[in-house]
Amino acid sequence: MHSMDGATITGEHWRQLADAARVASAHAYCRYSAFRVGAAVLSSTGAIARGCNVENASFGLTICAERNAIFRAIADGADRIAALVLYTPTPAPATPCGACRQVLAEFGNDLLPIRCFCDGPDVAMFTLGSLLPHRFALE
Ligand code: THU
């Protein structure tokens, strides 16, 4: 298995992740919020998985782009997430919601700082530890 870690992730990977996140946002099913979120993860297998938010008339059933991408990577055979890029169509970068942070914690012990980009010039970078200190874990 091709293992990904900080040393093997290149600028080209980051560019591909950003492209994938933007493509995913175009696929968002967001008829209630009209907020198109896209995420892309690089998994331990070296594969990139995309995710968009998928809403539901029963609002609480909505899944965020980040969890959609993570679950897709796991379903495709990954067991760890090495990197996550988030795209929102906003002037300033957004950050993953609390639920997505907890799900990231499950698979992202070795996660590189999360990169959040938007329609403005700024790219924000956050370690998972800064977004979710004292996280819950069974271990
Ligand atoms: N959303 C995400 O996809 N990711 C986040 O981190 C925050 C919120 C989605 C959920 C919902 O479809 C819409 O954005 C508005 O909350």
Side-chain angles (χ1 to χ4, degrees):
M1 186 181 291
H2 180 197
S3 159
M4 300 302 296
D5 59 37
T8 58
I9 294 181
T10 63
E12 182 56 24
H13 280 119
W14 290 114
R15 273 189 292 280
Q16 287 176 6
L17 286 164
D19 286 350
R22 200 188 283 277
V23 166
S25 78
H27 299 160
Y29 178 78
C30 55
R31 61 183 290 189
Y32 305 104
S33 75
F35 191 56
R36 295 189 172 277
V37 186
V41 298
L42 183 68
S43 75
S44 50
T45 59
I48 288 178
R50 297 195 301 235
C52 60
N53 50 329
V54 180
E55 299 185 344
N56 192 273
S58 180
F59 297 162
L61 299 184
T62 292
I63 185 88
C64 292
E66 299 92 316
R67 273 176 290 155
N68 203 354
I70 294 163
F71 293 156
R72 190 167 173 182
I74 300 301
D76 283 345
D79 60 356
R80 312 299 302 161
I81 301 297
L84 182 142
V85 171
L86 177 65
Y87 166 75
T88 52
T90 49
T95 56
C97 84
C100 291
R101 294 175 195 195
Q102 180 65 31
V103 169
L104 268 172
E106 190 74 25
F107 302 109
N109 258 346
D110 313 316
L111 187 71
L112 291 165
I114 296 162
R115 296 194 182 192
C116 308
F117 75 107
C118 62
D119 290 339
D122 294 344
V123 179
M125 290 177 47
F126 302 95
T127 63
L128 184 58
S130 75
L131 294 177
L132 188 67
H134 314 294
R135 66 194 187 218
F136 175 72
L138 293 176
E139 51 202 25

